[in-house]
Amino acid sequence: MNVFRLAGDVSHLVAIIILLLKIWRSRSCAGISGKSQLLFALVFTTRYLDLFTVYISAYNTIMKVVFLALSYATVYLIYMRFRNTYDSENDSFRVEFLLVPVIGLSFLEHYAFTPMEVLWTFSIFLEAVAIMPQLFMITKTGEAESITTHYLFFLGLYRALYIANWVWRYHTEGFFDQIAVVSGVVQTIFYCDFFYLYVTKVVQGRSKMSLP
Amino acid sequence: KEREARHDEL
């Protein structure tokens, strides 16, 4: 464990909690892409299958349980509790365009052709594109509430911090996880455009971020 | 070992 990975996990946790609290307190999921949240729940489900088979550390186990619980709770709020506020018309991204290539790629590129490893690889590739429906929805509505942009900021920051973690681990322990690094770089690049808007628009204190 | 090192990340 190093400070970059810890900061990354905290940033990830903060993002998930920001979104969950926003939906719960406003009792609405307007402007939130349910599809992205479903994809994130799928990412955690396929990645944390080793939760009960491999014990790595208390931190590892606790964080996996927390991420699974919060992501399913978010999906529950969107599709069940506050489903009448779900904006399905604007959440129209065709997720099959993400799932098919990700499934295909995880069968082509993996460390071992075992169910656990192929599913882990699937979760890594899926996480890189899971935010697409949300970013698409924001471009479609042309705006995002500032709290949603804070969610996206911390979500994008988490994988950027993981990249720093991989650089650190490469230089200190020679560790290099090619699949996670390549996918993590792609994932972070998808946020760059948003990061620019976030810094130039939202940080100046505007309530909504309207895209050009 | 390699797998362990990989899967200790969230």
Side-chain angles (χ1 to χ4, degrees), chain A residues 73-125:
Chain A
T74 305
V75 168
Y76 166 76
L77 290 187
I78 293 173
Y79 286 102
M80 313 280 268
R81 195 77 171 63
F82 304 125
R83 66 178 169 281
N84 53 357
T85 66
Y86 171 54
D87 182 2
S88 61
E89 189 180 324
N90 281 319
D91 191 12
S92 55
F93 193 94
R94 306 285 302 279
V95 290
E96 53 271 31
F97 291 165
L98 300 177
L99 287 169
V100 171
V102 163
I103 291 170
L105 198 58
S106 53
F107 272 95
L108 278 177
E109 182 67 33
H110 44 255
Y111 289 121
F113 195 65
T114 62
M116 185 75 87
E117 283 303 313
V118 172
L119 284 171
W120 177 84
T121 308
F122 166 78
S123 85
I124 292 284
F125 292 150

Side-chain angles (χ1 to χ4, degrees), chain A residues 17-38:
Chain A
I17 290 172
I18 284 178
L19 185 69
L20 193 55
L21 280 183
K22 175 209 184 294
I23 297 174
W24 179 254
R25 288 188 7 209
S26 67
R27 310 188 75 69
S28 162
C29 58
I32 303 298
S33 164
K35 293 182 176 181
S36 276
Q37 298 311 313
L38 272 173

Side-chain angles (χ1 to χ4, degrees), chain A residues 173-210:
Chain A
E173 52 189 282
F175 172 87
F176 182 66
D177 178 352
Q178 181 178 2
I179 289 175
V181 169
V182 171
S183 185
V185 168
V186 168
Q187 180 174 333
T188 306
I189 289 172
F190 284 145
Y191 284 86
C192 287
D193 172 43
F194 165 76
F195 280 144
Y196 173 74
L197 289 170
Y198 181 79
V199 172
T200 54
K201 301 250 171 122
V202 174
V203 172
Q204 284 164 3
R206 307 223 183 133
S207 66
K208 284 183 182 290
M209 178 180 87
S210 54

Side-chain angles (χ1 to χ4, degrees), chain B:
Chain B
K1 180 71 189 70
E2 202 274 324
R3 186 190 180 287
E4 280 314 301
R6 225 172 347 100
H7 282 270
D8 76 344
E9 293 190 344
L10 293 175

